[in-house]
Amino acid sequence: MKPVRLITIPISHYCEKARWALDRQGLAYVEERHFQIFHYLAAYRAARVDAVPVLVTPDAVMTDSTDILRWVDARAPEALKLYPAHPEQRRQIEAFEDELRLLPLAFPFVKGHLHKILELGPDSRLASKAIVDRAFDAVAVKLSDGRAFLAGGRFTAADLTFAALAASVLMPKEYGVVLPQLNELPPEMRAQVETWRAHPAGQFALRMFREHRARHLS
């Protein structure tokens, strides 16, 4: 199969979601990396949009990370599928993915502008933190029964999506590109990242990166 094109902002967690899925399936692709703002031209030329990721294939152009996961899944062997065949289980996973769309907007890490957090007022910082806390607490509730994964008995799109988007506040070393290190952050921000890493949902996301992302990195 001829390599497809993945247009990204490398640090973007939506882009990591798409990149992780492609890497996991071993599908050949060429990643076209752009700095934020400079990505506009590439995205518009490929798909008439101003956001990434954009996946360009011989048959279609996709501009949504979940659509990219579905495209990858359609080409995956049964053992590696991210979406279960059972309609109700699939619906639950897709609903959970939709709920998580708010998470990447909650903290400036997602946009790669770490300095922006310093420009936010106390109310804005607290509101952003509250969104992340609620998402993490909701995931912790799901995991409180001792399950190893968020939906069903194996790794699915729910696990991949949460881990990829939670990386915005966890900065795992197994991320698809190099993220800022804790010692590069202001003390207050570093302490908050460490708190989220210690949270049950943070521990879960970091485990997903260790066990299901690391081995697929080149």
Side-chain angles (χ1 to χ4, degrees), residues 8-15 34-40 51-52 101-117 120 128 164-165 167-169 171 175 179-180:
T8 70
I9 298 170
I11 201 171
S12 161
H13 304 83
Y14 282 127
C15 294
H34 301 272
F35 289 113
Q36 194 167 17
I37 298 177
F38 294 100
H39 76 280
Y40 289 140
V52 290
R101 288 177 190 269
L102 290 177
L103 183 58
L105 303 179
F107 228 64
F109 296 139
V110 176
K111 297 182 178 180
H113 294 171
L114 295 180
H115 64 281
K116 288 290 187 182
I117 191 67
L120 296 175
S128 296
L165 302 189
S168 62
V169 296
M171 302 185 196
Y175 199 74
L179 294 177

Short mmCIF file of all heavy atoms in Angstrom, two decimals, residues 8-15 34-40 51-52 101-117 120 128 164-165 167-169 171 175 179-180:
data_model
loop_
_atom_site.label_atom_id
_atom_site.label_comp_id
_atom_site.label_asym_id
_atom_site.label_seq_id
_atom_site.Cartn_x
_atom_site.Cartn_y
_atom_site.Cartn_z
N THR A 8 0.25 17.39 10.12
CA THR A 8 0.14 17.57 11.57
C THR A 8 0.80 18.86 12.05
O THR A 8 1.62 19.46 11.37
CB THR A 8 0.83 16.42 12.34
OG1 THR A 8 2.25 16.52 12.16
CG2 THR A 8 0.35 15.06 11.87
N ILE A 9 0.41 19.24 13.25
CA ILE A 9 1.23 20.04 14.15
C ILE A 9 1.81 19.00 15.10
O ILE A 9 1.04 18.37 15.84
CB ILE A 9 0.40 21.08 14.92
CG1 ILE A 9 -0.26 22.06 13.96
CG2 ILE A 9 1.26 21.81 15.94
CD1 ILE A 9 -1.29 22.97 14.62
N PRO A 10 3.09 18.75 15.09
CA PRO A 10 3.62 17.58 15.80
C PRO A 10 3.20 17.45 17.26
O PRO A 10 2.91 16.36 17.73
CB PRO A 10 5.14 17.79 15.69
CG PRO A 10 5.31 18.58 14.45
CD PRO A 10 4.13 19.50 14.38
N ILE A 11 3.12 18.56 17.99
CA ILE A 11 2.82 18.49 19.42
C ILE A 11 1.33 18.30 19.69
O ILE A 11 0.93 17.94 20.78
CB ILE A 11 3.33 19.76 20.13
CG1 ILE A 11 3.49 19.48 21.64
CG2 ILE A 11 2.42 20.95 19.87
CD1 ILE A 11 4.19 20.60 22.38
N SER A 12 0.49 18.53 18.68
CA SER A 12 -0.96 18.44 18.87
C SER A 12 -1.38 17.06 19.31
O SER A 12 -0.98 16.04 18.75
CB SER A 12 -1.67 18.79 17.56
OG SER A 12 -3.00 18.31 17.56
N HIS A 13 -2.26 17.00 20.30
CA HIS A 13 -2.68 15.72 20.84
C HIS A 13 -3.75 15.05 20.00
O HIS A 13 -3.89 13.82 20.03
CB HIS A 13 -3.10 15.92 22.29
CG HIS A 13 -1.98 16.54 23.07
ND1 HIS A 13 -1.75 17.89 23.07
CD2 HIS A 13 -0.96 15.98 23.77
CE1 HIS A 13 -0.65 18.14 23.79
NE2 HIS A 13 -0.17 17.01 24.21
N TYR A 14 -4.48 15.83 19.22
CA TYR A 14 -5.33 15.23 18.20
C TYR A 14 -4.45 14.52 17.17
O TYR A 14 -4.78 13.42 16.68
CB TYR A 14 -6.18 16.29 17.50
CG TYR A 14 -7.38 16.75 18.27
CD1 TYR A 14 -7.60 18.11 18.51
CD2 TYR A 14 -8.32 15.85 18.75
CE1 TYR A 14 -8.70 18.54 19.21
CE2 TYR A 14 -9.44 16.27 19.45
CZ TYR A 14 -9.62 17.62 19.67
OH TYR A 14 -10.73 18.06 20.36
N CYS A 15 -3.35 15.15 16.81
CA CYS A 15 -2.43 14.54 15.83
C CYS A 15 -1.77 13.31 16.40
O CYS A 15 -1.56 12.32 15.69
CB CYS A 15 -1.39 15.57 15.38
SG CYS A 15 -2.09 16.96 14.45
N HIS A 34 4.19 20.61 10.63
CA HIS A 34 4.18 22.07 10.48
C HIS A 34 4.05 22.72 11.85
O HIS A 34 3.38 22.20 12.74
CB HIS A 34 3.00 22.51 9.61
CG HIS A 34 3.00 21.92 8.24
ND1 HIS A 34 3.66 22.49 7.17
CD2 HIS A 34 2.44 20.77 7.76
CE1 HIS A 34 3.49 21.75 6.09
NE2 HIS A 34 2.77 20.69 6.42
N PHE A 35 4.68 23.88 12.01
CA PHE A 35 4.45 24.68 13.19
C PHE A 35 3.03 25.24 13.13
O PHE A 35 2.46 25.41 12.06
CB PHE A 35 5.44 25.84 13.28
CG PHE A 35 6.84 25.40 13.61
CD1 PHE A 35 7.86 25.54 12.69
CD2 PHE A 35 7.13 24.85 14.85
CE1 PHE A 35 9.15 25.14 12.99
CE2 PHE A 35 8.42 24.44 15.16
CZ PHE A 35 9.43 24.59 14.23
N GLN A 36 2.50 25.51 14.32
CA GLN A 36 1.17 26.10 14.37
C GLN A 36 1.16 27.43 13.62
O GLN A 36 2.15 28.15 13.61
CB GLN A 36 0.74 26.32 15.82
CG GLN A 36 -0.74 26.62 15.95
CD GLN A 36 -1.21 26.53 17.38
OE1 GLN A 36 -0.40 26.55 18.29
NE2 GLN A 36 -2.50 26.43 17.59
N ILE A 37 0.06 27.71 13.00
CA ILE A 37 -0.17 28.84 12.09
C ILE A 37 0.34 28.51 10.70
O ILE A 37 -0.38 28.64 9.71
CB ILE A 37 0.44 30.16 12.60
CG1 ILE A 37 -0.21 30.56 13.93
CG2 ILE A 37 0.23 31.28 11.56
CD1 ILE A 37 0.38 31.81 14.55
N PHE A 38 1.58 28.00 10.61
CA PHE A 38 2.12 27.63 9.30
C PHE A 38 1.43 26.39 8.73
O PHE A 38 1.58 26.09 7.55
CB PHE A 38 3.63 27.39 9.41
CG PHE A 38 4.41 28.63 9.73
CD1 PHE A 38 4.84 28.87 11.03
CD2 PHE A 38 4.69 29.57 8.76
CE1 PHE A 38 5.55 30.02 11.34
CE2 PHE A 38 5.39 30.73 9.06
CZ PHE A 38 5.84 30.96 10.35
N HIS A 39 0.67 25.70 9.60
CA HIS A 39 -0.04 24.51 9.13
C HIS A 39 -1.25 24.87 8.27
O HIS A 39 -1.76 24.03 7.54
CB HIS A 39 -0.50 23.66 10.31
CG HIS A 39 -1.70 24.21 11.02
ND1 HIS A 39 -1.62 25.23 11.94
CD2 HIS A 39 -3.03 23.91 10.93
CE1 HIS A 39 -2.83 25.52 12.39
NE2 HIS A 39 -3.71 24.73 11.80
N TYR A 40 -1.73 26.11 8.39
CA TYR A 40 -2.96 26.49 7.71
C TYR A 40 -2.91 26.22 6.21
O TYR A 40 -3.85 25.68 5.63
CB TYR A 40 -3.27 27.97 7.94
CG TYR A 40 -3.71 28.33 9.33
CD1 TYR A 40 -3.26 29.50 9.94
CD2 TYR A 40 -4.57 27.50 10.06
CE1 TYR A 40 -3.66 29.85 11.22
CE2 TYR A 40 -4.96 27.84 11.35
CZ TYR A 40 -4.50 29.01 11.92
OH TYR A 40 -4.90 29.35 13.18
N ALA A 51 -7.58 23.17 10.24
CA ALA A 51 -7.17 22.40 11.41
C ALA A 51 -6.54 21.08 10.98
O ALA A 51 -6.77 20.58 9.88
CB ALA A 51 -8.37 22.13 12.31
N VAL A 52 -5.74 20.53 11.87
CA VAL A 52 -5.11 19.23 11.65
C VAL A 52 -5.47 18.34 12.85
O VAL A 52 -5.86 18.84 13.90
CB VAL A 52 -3.58 19.39 11.50
CG1 VAL A 52 -3.23 20.05 10.20
CG2 VAL A 52 -2.96 20.14 12.68
N ARG A 101 -13.75 15.28 23.75
CA ARG A 101 -13.36 16.38 22.87
C ARG A 101 -13.13 17.68 23.63
O ARG A 101 -12.41 18.55 23.17
CB ARG A 101 -14.42 16.58 21.80
CG ARG A 101 -14.44 15.49 20.75
CD ARG A 101 -15.56 15.72 19.76
NE ARG A 101 -15.72 14.56 18.91
CZ ARG A 101 -15.09 14.41 17.76
NH1 ARG A 101 -14.26 15.31 17.33
NH2 ARG A 101 -15.31 13.33 17.03
N LEU A 102 -13.72 17.81 24.81
CA LEU A 102 -13.52 19.01 25.60
C LEU A 102 -12.15 19.04 26.27
O LEU A 102 -11.61 20.11 26.54
CB LEU A 102 -14.60 19.11 26.70
CG LEU A 102 -16.02 19.40 26.23
CD1 LEU A 102 -16.96 19.39 27.43
CD2 LEU A 102 -16.09 20.75 25.53
N LEU A 103 -11.58 17.88 26.54
CA LEU A 103 -10.36 17.82 27.32
C LEU A 103 -9.18 18.56 26.69
O LEU A 103 -8.50 19.32 27.38
CB LEU A 103 -9.99 16.36 27.60
CG LEU A 103 -8.76 16.12 28.49
CD1 LEU A 103 -8.93 16.80 29.85
CD2 LEU A 103 -8.52 14.64 28.67
N PRO A 104 -8.92 18.41 25.38
CA PRO A 104 -7.75 19.08 24.82
C PRO A 104 -7.85 20.59 24.83
O PRO A 104 -6.86 21.28 24.72
CB PRO A 104 -7.69 18.57 23.38
CG PRO A 104 -8.47 17.32 23.39
CD PRO A 104 -9.55 17.54 24.40
N LEU A 105 -9.07 21.12 24.95
CA LEU A 105 -9.24 22.56 24.95
C LEU A 105 -9.06 23.13 26.35
O LEU A 105 -9.10 24.35 26.54
CB LEU A 105 -10.64 22.92 24.44
CG LEU A 105 -10.98 22.40 23.05
CD1 LEU A 105 -12.40 22.80 22.67
CD2 LEU A 105 -9.99 22.93 22.01
N ALA A 106 -8.83 22.26 27.31
CA ALA A 106 -8.86 22.71 28.69
C ALA A 106 -7.54 23.29 29.17
O ALA A 106 -7.51 24.00 30.16
CB ALA A 106 -9.25 21.54 29.60
N PHE A 107 -6.46 23.02 28.49
CA PHE A 107 -5.17 23.47 28.99
C PHE A 107 -4.27 23.86 27.83
O PHE A 107 -4.27 23.21 26.80
CB PHE A 107 -4.50 22.35 29.79
CG PHE A 107 -3.97 22.79 31.11
CD1 PHE A 107 -4.81 23.25 32.10
CD2 PHE A 107 -2.61 22.76 31.36
CE1 PHE A 107 -4.33 23.65 33.32
CE2 PHE A 107 -2.11 23.17 32.58
CZ PHE A 107 -2.97 23.61 33.57
N PRO A 108 -3.50 24.93 27.97
CA PRO A 108 -2.71 25.44 26.85
C PRO A 108 -1.63 24.50 26.35
O PRO A 108 -1.08 24.71 25.28
CB PRO A 108 -2.07 26.72 27.44
CG PRO A 108 -2.98 27.11 28.52
CD PRO A 108 -3.48 25.82 29.12
N PHE A 109 -1.26 23.45 27.12
CA PHE A 109 -0.27 22.52 26.62
C PHE A 109 -0.64 21.99 25.24
O PHE A 109 0.21 21.74 24.41
CB PHE A 109 -0.14 21.30 27.56
CG PHE A 109 0.37 21.63 28.92
CD1 PHE A 109 -0.18 21.02 30.02
CD2 PHE A 109 1.39 22.53 29.10
CE1 PHE A 109 0.28 21.30 31.28
CE2 PHE A 109 1.87 22.82 30.36
CZ PHE A 109 1.30 22.20 31.47
N VAL A 110 -1.92 21.82 25.02
CA VAL A 110 -2.39 21.20 23.80
C VAL A 110 -1.93 21.97 22.57
O VAL A 110 -1.59 21.40 21.56
CB VAL A 110 -3.93 21.11 23.81
CG1 VAL A 110 -4.45 20.56 22.49
CG2 VAL A 110 -4.37 20.21 24.94
N LYS A 111 -1.95 23.26 22.66
CA LYS A 111 -1.58 24.08 21.53
C LYS A 111 -0.08 24.28 21.43
O LYS A 111 0.41 24.94 20.52
CB LYS A 111 -2.29 25.43 21.60
CG LYS A 111 -3.81 25.31 21.52
CD LYS A 111 -4.47 26.66 21.54
CE LYS A 111 -5.99 26.51 21.40
NZ LYS A 111 -6.67 27.83 21.42
N GLY A 112 0.65 23.73 22.37
CA GLY A 112 2.09 23.86 22.32
C GLY A 112 2.59 25.21 22.80
O GLY A 112 3.75 25.53 22.65
N HIS A 113 1.72 26.01 23.40
CA HIS A 113 2.10 27.33 23.88
C HIS A 113 2.18 27.29 25.41
O HIS A 113 1.30 27.78 26.09
CB HIS A 113 1.07 28.37 23.43
CG HIS A 113 1.05 28.57 21.96
ND1 HIS A 113 0.08 29.32 21.34
CD2 HIS A 113 1.89 28.15 20.98
CE1 HIS A 113 0.31 29.33 20.03
NE2 HIS A 113 1.39 28.62 19.80
N LEU A 114 3.24 26.74 25.93
CA LEU A 114 3.35 26.58 27.37
C LEU A 114 3.37 27.93 28.08
O LEU A 114 2.93 28.04 29.22
CB LEU A 114 4.62 25.79 27.72
CG LEU A 114 4.64 24.35 27.23
CD1 LEU A 114 5.94 23.69 27.64
CD2 LEU A 114 3.47 23.57 27.77
N HIS A 115 3.89 28.93 27.40
CA HIS A 115 3.96 30.24 28.04
C HIS A 115 2.58 30.85 28.23
O HIS A 115 2.39 31.73 29.07
CB HIS A 115 4.82 31.18 27.20
CG HIS A 115 4.25 31.47 25.85
ND1 HIS A 115 4.37 30.59 24.80
CD2 HIS A 115 3.54 32.53 25.38
CE1 HIS A 115 3.79 31.10 23.73
NE2 HIS A 115 3.26 32.27 24.06
N LYS A 116 1.59 30.40 27.49
CA LYS A 116 0.26 30.99 27.57
C LYS A 116 -0.34 30.83 28.96
O LYS A 116 -1.12 31.67 29.40
CB LYS A 116 -0.67 30.34 26.54
CG LYS A 116 -0.39 30.73 25.09
CD LYS A 116 -0.74 32.18 24.84
CE LYS A 116 -0.62 32.50 23.36
NZ LYS A 116 -0.91 33.92 23.09
N ILE A 117 0.00 29.73 29.64
CA ILE A 117 -0.58 29.53 30.96
C ILE A 117 -0.20 30.67 31.89
O ILE A 117 -0.93 31.03 32.81
CB ILE A 117 -0.15 28.16 31.55
CG1 ILE A 117 -0.95 27.82 32.80
CG2 ILE A 117 1.33 28.16 31.88
CD1 ILE A 117 -2.39 27.58 32.55
N LEU A 120 -2.63 33.70 31.57
CA LEU A 120 -4.02 33.56 31.97
C LEU A 120 -4.23 34.10 33.37
O LEU A 120 -3.36 33.97 34.24
CB LEU A 120 -4.44 32.08 31.93
CG LEU A 120 -4.42 31.41 30.56
CD1 LEU A 120 -4.74 29.93 30.74
CD2 LEU A 120 -5.41 32.06 29.63
N SER A 128 -9.74 26.07 33.65
CA SER A 128 -9.08 25.05 32.84
C SER A 128 -8.75 23.82 33.67
O SER A 128 -8.97 22.69 33.25
CB SER A 128 -7.80 25.62 32.22
OG SER A 128 -8.10 26.67 31.34
N ALA A 164 -4.07 9.81 24.65
CA ALA A 164 -3.50 10.81 23.75
C ALA A 164 -3.89 12.22 24.18
O ALA A 164 -3.06 13.13 24.18
CB ALA A 164 -3.95 10.55 22.32
N LEU A 165 -5.15 12.42 24.55
CA LEU A 165 -5.59 13.75 24.92
C LEU A 165 -5.13 14.14 26.32
O LEU A 165 -4.84 15.31 26.57
CB LEU A 165 -7.11 13.84 24.80
CG LEU A 165 -7.69 13.52 23.41
CD1 LEU A 165 -9.17 13.86 23.36
CD2 LEU A 165 -6.94 14.25 22.31
N ALA A 167 -2.36 13.42 27.49
CA ALA A 167 -0.93 13.76 27.38
C ALA A 167 -0.69 15.25 27.42
O ALA A 167 0.41 15.71 27.74
CB ALA A 167 -0.36 13.17 26.08
N SER A 168 -1.74 16.03 27.13
CA SER A 168 -1.61 17.48 27.18
C SER A 168 -1.23 17.99 28.56
O SER A 168 -0.65 19.07 28.69
CB SER A 168 -2.92 18.13 26.74
OG SER A 168 -3.97 17.79 27.62
N VAL A 169 -1.55 17.21 29.60
CA VAL A 169 -1.22 17.64 30.95
C VAL A 169 -0.31 16.63 31.67
O VAL A 169 0.04 16.85 32.83
CB VAL A 169 -2.50 17.88 31.79
CG1 VAL A 169 -3.30 19.02 31.19
CG2 VAL A 169 -3.35 16.63 31.90
N MET A 171 2.47 14.90 29.76
CA MET A 171 3.76 14.95 29.06
C MET A 171 4.53 13.62 29.15
O MET A 171 5.66 13.57 29.61
CB MET A 171 4.62 16.08 29.62
CG MET A 171 3.97 17.43 29.50
SD MET A 171 5.10 18.74 30.04
CE MET A 171 3.95 20.07 30.25
N TYR A 175 5.51 9.81 24.11
CA TYR A 175 4.73 10.56 23.13
C TYR A 175 5.40 10.48 21.77
O TYR A 175 6.60 10.21 21.65
CB TYR A 175 4.65 12.02 23.60
CG TYR A 175 3.55 12.83 22.98
CD1 TYR A 175 2.22 12.65 23.36
CD2 TYR A 175 3.82 13.81 22.02
CE1 TYR A 175 1.21 13.42 22.82
CE2 TYR A 175 2.81 14.58 21.47
CZ TYR A 175 1.51 14.38 21.87
OH TYR A 175 0.50 15.14 21.33
N LEU A 179 8.27 16.11 24.05
CA LEU A 179 7.53 17.14 24.75
C LEU A 179 8.44 17.85 25.75
O LEU A 179 9.49 17.32 26.12
CB LEU A 179 6.33 16.53 25.50
CG LEU A 179 5.24 15.92 24.63
CD1 LEU A 179 4.17 15.28 25.52
CD2 LEU A 179 4.60 16.96 23.72
N PRO A 180 8.05 19.02 26.22
CA PRO A 180 8.84 19.70 27.27
C PRO A 180 9.00 18.81 28.49
O PRO A 180 8.13 18.01 28.82
CB PRO A 180 8.01 20.94 27.58
CG PRO A 180 7.20 21.18 26.35
CD PRO A 180 6.89 19.82 25.80
#
